[in-house]
Amino acid sequence: MRSQHRLSIITAACWLAWTAAPVQARDMTPEQIRAVKADATDASVVPGNDFNRYANGVWMKQAVIEPSKAGTGVFDALAEESDHAVKKIIQKSMLAQAGTAERKPGDFFTAYADVKTINQLGMAPVQPQLAEITALKDKQALAAYLGKYLRADVDPINATQMHTTHLFGLWVSQGLHKPDQYQPYLLQGGLGLPDREYYVTNSADMKKLRQTYQQYIAGVFRYAGIADADKAAARVLALEMQIARGHAKREESSDMKKVDNSWRVADFARKAPGLDWQAFMQAAGLDQQPEWIIWHPGALKHSAGLVASVPLESWQDYLRFHAIHHRMMVLPQALFDLYFPLEKALSGVSQPESREKYAIAATNDALGEEIGKLYVAEHFSPQAKQKIRQMVDDLLQAFAGRVERLSWMSAATRSEALAKLKNTYVGVGYPDQWRDYSALDVKADDAYGNAVRAERWQYQYALSKFGKPVDRTEWCMNPQLVNAVNMPLQNAVNFPAAFLQTPNFDPEASDAVNYGAIGATIGHEISHSFDNTGAMFDAKGALRNWWTAADLAHFRQAGKALARQFDGYKPFPDLAVKGQQTLGENIADLAGLQAAFDAYRMAMQRKGQTPDAESDRAFFLSYAKSFRGVIRDETLRKIILTNEHAPEQFRVQTVRNLDAWYDAFDVKPGQSLYLTPAQRVRIW
């Protein structure tokens, strides 16, 4: 996946609701968007000392992070433009005939933006669920409740989304060893804070964060009229602390050896005792599934044991809080006022986004491809798609050429690698088939009900895949999303239309500029098929070791060298980048950049043009510009602790591994980024 800090901002936005304060959050102005896209080289910086500041320094000195933002940069500018386009689409949707699919985005947005009605309804919408929780009489009923509210809200491979406040998260995709069948995957969950590290780390900052979180929980209970709010909040945090102690670390979640666990139904009671799994699965509508992939078996066993050992009353406190917290965006704004101090501590923002922003995000999430159809019709031309397709072909050819030239790779491994490339499905702009939202009931005066029904629709959509042929062309991103993705199980890459905009892609720009930006992204996503995770899957998407022992050892040794390189980046005195946690993305950055450089030169030569030092410099500067951004320290810490991507300023420095960068910018020994030829990491 290409995007990094923009995702963390969106994650925060999904938690936030709105504020009663009269000051509204300000979007990026047209001037700010133009500035972030403009040239911004800082001649006072030596490229070999800090290539990010050399390429982006002038803009960085002037960049302003709005109070409601965790950061700002190219990704954010493109997202602003996408949101503006989606807003116009939603406004048109409001005028469509009532009851039609075209009208649903408008009705969803209208209800979500109607703060007055939401406030008037108060806590009434969530009361039936709270009554369910109060009515739980035993642990069997608890198991059934947990199963009933299981949702398809995680994706550990494509989106690397592993966080859910539900006790477990469900993902439905091809089987790791059965790529022609859909199977259920079960992941760890149950935490209100972003990751286990926020619970198990005992630094002063983390202790203070946990205190702020507990104060928020108590405030929610007092607002909801729940007795002994402080004691109940303490029980909730204590339970989450216990849950977190059983969670796998983030880097373990991308280790395919550790996540490759196939369980039959009968295995659950034996391997994870304490939870009535029959009641859980029946309530979840999954009791007919014979085989599961358990991504986090240790966490599953630990949490199931807690179901048995922790008193029912503590579980009820926990479920009450999460029932309210999960729907905060469509409940009274007073709840958000209680929450916002925690969000400030987590992300560093001092002001919420406007309600309109959250309404757009929620509508995109609920009806993404319905909006996407209209977005691509207006903002992505057939000519742009054709040109991107040519670039993809160039990148595939360039990557194949690199594979063919690898001196260390055996013929057997090379044949498998080339087969993966040949069988890669490439989606450009938008999916081949659009999702049908006709079964989703949307009402213009029911924000809470719309949110519940949309989430349930997504869950039923996931369950509907069982027994059907696997669709390798299915997308996991909306066309209006600023991102790109590799899907190893499908052996597919997708490039949403909103990402294929200037400065990432400009039909009028030179090959050096386009291949340095969007070309490196295309190469990045292709390269994910050959990172430390993707390289474990074959051309059909099956988890299979297609490497000779010697080749795999060489590949892993090169990966260790890259991990050590990123371990050396330390943005805070007490916190360094985690090279192993970010290894997959770093491999993709490096291999993608190498392939993009080859492809840019191929494209110029195809036109009879000769690449030179000037065009090489344009290529590398375009690459650095594509990562242009600044973020708050709080969010930067969160990224380092929880994200598979290294912070963007360090991803720019990947250039130090390419010989051509040294020649283009006259990088010398003694400069901070200089590596001897032997130290430069070369994987593909």
Side-chain angles (χ1 to χ4, degrees):
M1 183 181 294
R2 180 67 152 86
S3 173
Q4 174 251 326
H5 85 253
R6 177 66 195 174
L7 287 181
S8 62
I9 296 169
I10 291 174
T11 299
C14 290
W15 277 18
L16 296 178
W18 65 95
T19 178
V23 178
Q24 289 289 311
R26 193 179 77 176
D27 297 340
M28 291 180 73
T29 65
E31 292 76 16
Q32 288 174 319
I33 291 175
R34 283 194 292 270
V36 77
K37 293 183 177 185
D39 292 333
T41 52
D42 186 346
S44 69
V45 178
V46 177
N49 285 336
D50 187 337
F51 192 60
N52 180 52
R53 287 200 171 273
Y54 172 75
N56 299 315
V58 170
W59 173 83
M60 291 172 68
K61 291 175 184 176
Q62 301 170 350
V64 176
I65 303 176
E66 296 297 332
S68 62
K69 309 289 187 183
T72 188
V74 166
F75 281 118
D76 306 274
L78 290 172
E80 291 281 5
E81 292 178 328
S82 176
D83 283 353
H84 184 69
V86 170
K87 177 182 175 181
K88 290 184 176 180
I89 290 168
I90 290 172
Q91 289 171 336
K92 291 180 181 179
S93 171
M94 294 175 183
L95 304 176
Q97 183 178 350
T100 61
E102 292 79 9
R103 178 66 175 262
K104 289 184 178 183
D107 285 347
F108 192 100
F109 179 94
T110 297
Y112 195 100
D114 187 358
V115 176
K116 181 178 179 181
T117 297
I118 291 171
N119 285 337
Q120 287 174 344
L121 289 170
M123 297 294 286
V126 76
Q127 289 302 332
Q129 188 173 353
L130 296 179
E132 278 188 77
I133 296 167
T134 300
L136 298 176
K137 299 303 182 186
D138 53 33
K139 296 297 179 68
Q140 183 183 44
L142 172 60
Y145 177 94
L146 293 171
K148 178 181 178 180
Y149 287 95
L150 180 70
R151 291 295 177 264
D153 55 1
V154 290
D155 178 346
I157 295 184
N158 302 330
T160 56
Q161 160 55 16
M162 303 184 202
H163 182 270
T164 173
T165 56
H166 296 99
L167 187 60
F168 305 118
L170 177 75
W171 186 48
V172 176
S173 191
Q174 299 97 304
L176 292 178
H177 300 284
K178 298 179 179 179
D180 58 339
Q181 295 180 22
Y182 286 112
Q183 288 187 284
Y185 291 67
L186 212 55
L187 278 68
Q188 65 191 16
L191 304 180
L193 292 174
D195 185 80
R196 70 180 294 276
E197 299 300 322
Y198 286 79
Y199 296 86
V200 303
T201 302
N202 283 318
S203 66
D205 286 343
M206 287 300 190
K207 288 180 178 178
K208 186 176 180 181
L209 266 171
R210 290 194 289 268
Q211 290 175 349
T212 304
Y213 181 44
Q214 184 172 334
Q215 290 167 1
Y216 162 58
I217 299 169
V220 168
F221 283 156
R222 278 190 289 271
Y223 184 83
I226 294 170
D228 298 322
D230 290 331
K231 291 182 180 178
R235 289 193 292 269
V236 172
L237 181 59
L239 178 51
E240 290 195 20
M241 293 284 285
Q242 289 179 281
I243 293 170
R245 282 193 283 271
H247 271 212
K249 295 181 179 180
R250 195 71 170 186
E251 55 265 33
E252 294 172 352
S253 295
S254 59
D255 185 335
M256 297 312 300
K257 286 185 178 180
K258 294 183 178 180
V259 305
D260 181 16
N261 306 285
S262 180
W263 289 13
R264 308 290 294 183
V265 172
D267 292 329
F268 282 83
R270 178 172 56 86
K271 294 183 177 182
L275 178 68
D276 187 331
W277 288 104
Q278 183 177 0
F280 175 89
M281 291 180 183
Q282 188 171 3
L286 292 163
D287 50 317
Q288 299 302 310
Q289 298 307 312
E291 188 175 14
W292 297 61
I293 305 296
I294 308 303
W295 205 265
H296 299 113
L300 209 70
K301 178 181 179 180
H302 183 79
S303 293
L306 291 175
V307 169
S309 64
V310 173
L312 179 61
E313 292 74 15
S314 293
W315 278 107
Q316 287 172 308
D317 289 331
Y318 167 88
L319 294 174
R320 288 186 187 102
F321 165 68
H322 281 291
I324 297 168
H325 174 66
H326 188 60
R327 297 290 175 216
M328 188 203 319
M329 294 184 292
V330 286
L331 288 171
Q333 69 182 43
L335 290 167
F336 171 74
D337 295 336
L338 294 169
Y339 169 76
F340 194 63
L342 176 62
E343 178 55 31
K344 289 169 70 175
L346 286 168
S347 67
V349 300
S350 59
Q351 181 181 316
E353 292 273 21
S354 67
R355 181 63 177 177
E356 180 181 86
K357 276 286 186 184
Y358 296 120
I360 290 172
T363 308
N364 266 329
D365 188 52
L367 293 151
E369 290 193 14
E370 192 64 46
I371 295 170
K373 283 191 291 188
L374 301 172
Y375 177 87
V376 298
E378 297 181 18
H379 299 281
F380 192 63
S381 69
Q383 293 78 14
K385 181 166 184 169
Q386 183 179 0
K387 188 159 187 175
I388 293 290
R389 182 69 242 194
Q390 176 64 61
M391 293 182 71
V392 172
D393 290 343
D394 286 348
L395 263 296
L396 287 168
Q397 182 181 344
F399 200 99
R402 298 191 71 84
V403 171
E404 289 170 343
R405 292 190 298 271
L406 288 174
S407 60
W408 56 266
M409 182 171 280
S410 67
T413 305
R414 192 187 327 275
S415 176
E416 293 272 10
L418 293 173
K420 279 199 75 170
L421 288 170
K422 183 178 179 180
N423 287 281
T424 299
Y425 166 78
V426 179
V428 176
Y430 49 89
D432 297 343
Q433 300 291 330
W434 298 102
R435 294 186 185 183
D436 179 4
Y437 295 90
S438 59
L440 175 57
D441 184 22
V442 177
K443 300 178 181 179
D445 59 354
D446 186 13
Y448 187 95
N450 290 341
V452 171
R453 289 186 293 271
E455 193 176 68
R456 184 71 183 176
W457 183 91
Q458 295 285 357
Y459 183 71
Q460 292 299 330
Y461 177 82
L463 266 56
S464 72
K465 296 179 181 180
F466 294 125
K468 293 180 180 178
V470 167
D471 181 7
R472 289 183 60 238
T473 70
E474 183 184 15
W475 281 47
C476 69
M477 291 181 170
N478 296 323
Q480 65 274 27
L481 180 66
V482 179
N483 212 333
V485 68
N486 178 292
M487 297 178 285
L489 285 167
Q490 294 171 229
N491 193 24
V493 290
N494 295 162
F495 304 100
F499 195 79
L500 307 175
Q501 310 292 329
T502 178
N504 286 343
F505 171 68
D506 181 352
E508 304 304 318
S510 69
D511 286 328
V513 169
N514 275 332
Y515 281 84
I518 197 62
T521 297
I522 295 168
H524 172 102
E525 298 306 338
I526 292 171
S527 300
H528 266 310
S529 293
F530 302 91
D531 67 17
N532 58 315
T533 297
M536 300 299 102
F537 293 86
D538 66 15
K540 295 181 179 179
L543 183 62
R544 177 177 67 85
N545 182 11
W546 45 271
W547 297 70
T548 66
D551 289 346
L552 187 58
H554 186 284
F555 173 75
R556 287 177 172 167
Q557 193 62 36
K560 288 179 181 179
L562 190 61
R564 287 193 298 270
Q565 189 176 111
F566 276 80
D567 283 337
Y569 297 134
K570 198 170 184 180
F572 301 104
D574 63 332
L575 189 63
V577 175
K578 299 180 180 182
Q580 187 60 42
Q581 178 177 298
T582 59
L583 181 57
E585 296 296 334
N586 298 335
I587 290 174
D589 278 346
L590 175 56
L593 180 62
Q594 291 171 323
F597 186 82
D598 292 349
Y600 122 74
R601 290 196 155 193
M602 286 167 40
M604 288 193 69
Q605 290 165 358
R606 186 171 58 237
K607 297 176 181 177
Q609 300 171 351
T610 303
D612 54 21
E614 182 178 355
S615 63
D616 285 358
R617 285 192 291 272
F619 172 88
F620 287 114
L621 285 170
S622 183
Y623 175 75
K625 181 178 176 180
S626 73
F627 285 108
R628 183 175 292 173
V630 291
I631 53 177
R632 300 186 188 279
D633 283 352
E634 296 87 344
T635 298
L636 179 56
R637 285 182 175 273
K638 180 179 175 183
I639 289 168
I640 293 171
L641 288 171
T642 68
N643 206 288
E644 285 75 18
H645 302 78
E648 291 170 349
Q649 64 265 40
F650 303 117
R651 296 176 72 182
V652 171
Q653 317 296 23
T654 298
V655 296
R656 66 195 302 211
N657 294 293
L658 274 70
D659 296 341
W661 176 72
Y662 288 81
D663 296 335
F665 293 95
D666 194 28
V667 180
K668 302 292 187 183
Q671 295 176 354
S672 301
L673 294 178
Y674 181 85
L675 296 170
T676 67
Q679 292 174 317
R680 298 168 198 172
V681 179
R682 310 171 199 274
I683 297 179
W684 290 102

